[in-house]
Amino acid sequence: MTTPHPNHQLYQLAADQRSAEVTDWSARISWVLGLAVFIAFVYWLMRQGWKWRGSLQSGLPPLATAPEGFADDEVLLTLTGRYHASTTAGQWLDRIVAHGLGTRSRAELTLTARGLDVIRPGAAGFFVPAAALREARLDKALAGKVLPEGGLLVITWAHGDRLIDSGFRSDRAAEHQAWVDTVARLAGTPGDHLTSTTTSTTEGTAR
C-alpha cells in the first residue's frame, strides 16, 4: 500500500477548504435573502393592517386645535415626555390610527381650565376641550406597550361619538398623580379609584 505524497495531501486539503467555502457562502446568501423576503412580507402585512384599520376609523372626526388665546390661559399643569398611543376606551389593544393618533412621538402637554393641548413634534398635535375630558388614571399597558406599574398616564376623552384612551409617559413619572387628580377635578369625576394600577385597567373597564 502506497502512502500519498505530503504535497498531494496538502493540495487535496486546500481544494476541500475552497469547496467548503463556496458551499457555505451559497447557503448563507440564500438564508439572508430568504430572511429579507420574510421581513419584507411581514412589514407589508403590517402596513396593510394599518391601512385597513385606518379605513375602518375614517369616520372619526378631525382632531381639534387649541382655541385662540389659549397660550394666555392660566396653566394648571405641563408635562414633557412621550405619547405612546390611543385606543378605544376600555379596550387597551384596539389602537386608533386615524389622524396620526397611531404614531408614537415626543409630546408636550399643557392643561388649563379650557382643556388639554397636546403638541407632538414631527406628528399631528390635538386639543381636548375640558368638557370632553372624562378621567385620567395610572396604568401600565396600552396598545401592546407594557411599562412598569403606574408608568403610564392614560387620559380618557370624548371625540365625536367615541371615548378614547390616550397614553403618555412623563420624563418625570412622579408628575403622573397630579395629572390624575387635576383631570378628575376638571371632568367632575372622583379620582381616588383611578390612582392605583390594577389588572382591570389593562383588560378594559365598562364605560
Side-chain angles (χ1 to χ4, degrees):
M1 181 175 182
T2 60
T3 302
H5 193 278
N7 290 339
H8 177 73
Q9 290 180 324
L10 293 174
Y11 176 80
Q12 185 63 41
L13 180 60
D16 291 343
Q17 289 178 339
R18 285 196 298 270
S19 177
E21 287 176 1
V22 172
T23 302
D24 288 345
W25 275 111
S26 176
R28 185 173 299 178
I29 291 173
S30 298
W31 184 85
V32 170
L33 288 176
L35 181 62
V37 170
F38 175 76
I39 292 174
F41 178 67
V42 171
Y43 179 75
W44 179 82
L45 286 178
M46 291 174 62
R47 283 191 60 84
Q48 292 301 111
W50 194 277
K51 291 180 179 179
W52 174 76
R53 183 176 288 272
S55 65
L56 289 180
Q57 299 168 357
S58 59
L60 193 70
L63 300 175
T65 57
E68 185 177 354
F70 179 81
D72 299 325
D73 289 1
E74 179 183 356
V75 175
L76 300 177
L77 288 172
T78 61
L79 181 152
T80 300
R82 294 198 64 83
Y83 167 83
H84 282 284
S86 289
T87 68
T88 299
Q91 301 180 37
W92 75 292
L93 290 176
D94 187 18
R95 182 192 294 270
I96 296 175
V97 303
H99 307 307
L101 289 176
T103 303
R104 290 178 181 168
S105 64
R106 292 289 299 173
E108 299 174 5
L109 279 61
T110 302
L111 183 67
T112 77
R114 281 207 280 177
L116 171 66
D117 187 33
V118 180
I119 297 176
R120 300 197 295 154
F126 56 95
F127 179 78
V128 181
L133 290 170
R134 293 294 179 266
E135 65 180 33
R137 68 177 186 271
L138 302 183
D139 214 322
K140 64 179 181 180
L142 192 73
K145 178 70 173 180
V146 179
L147 296 169
E149 292 285 344
L152 198 63
L153 170 67
V154 177
I155 297 176
T156 303
W157 50 290
H159 188 53
D161 59 357
R162 181 179 300 209
L163 285 180
I164 296 175
D165 281 343
S166 293
F168 305 90
R169 180 172 175 82
S170 173
D171 292 335
R172 297 175 294 277
E175 298 177 336
H176 289 176
Q177 187 60 55
W179 279 82
V180 171
D181 298 337
T182 305
V183 170
R185 288 198 299 270
L186 281 179
T189 58
D192 293 343
H193 69 291
L194 302 172
T195 59
S196 61
T197 304
T198 63
T199 303
S200 63
T201 61
T202 60
E203 295 298 331
T205 55
R207 289 180 173 82

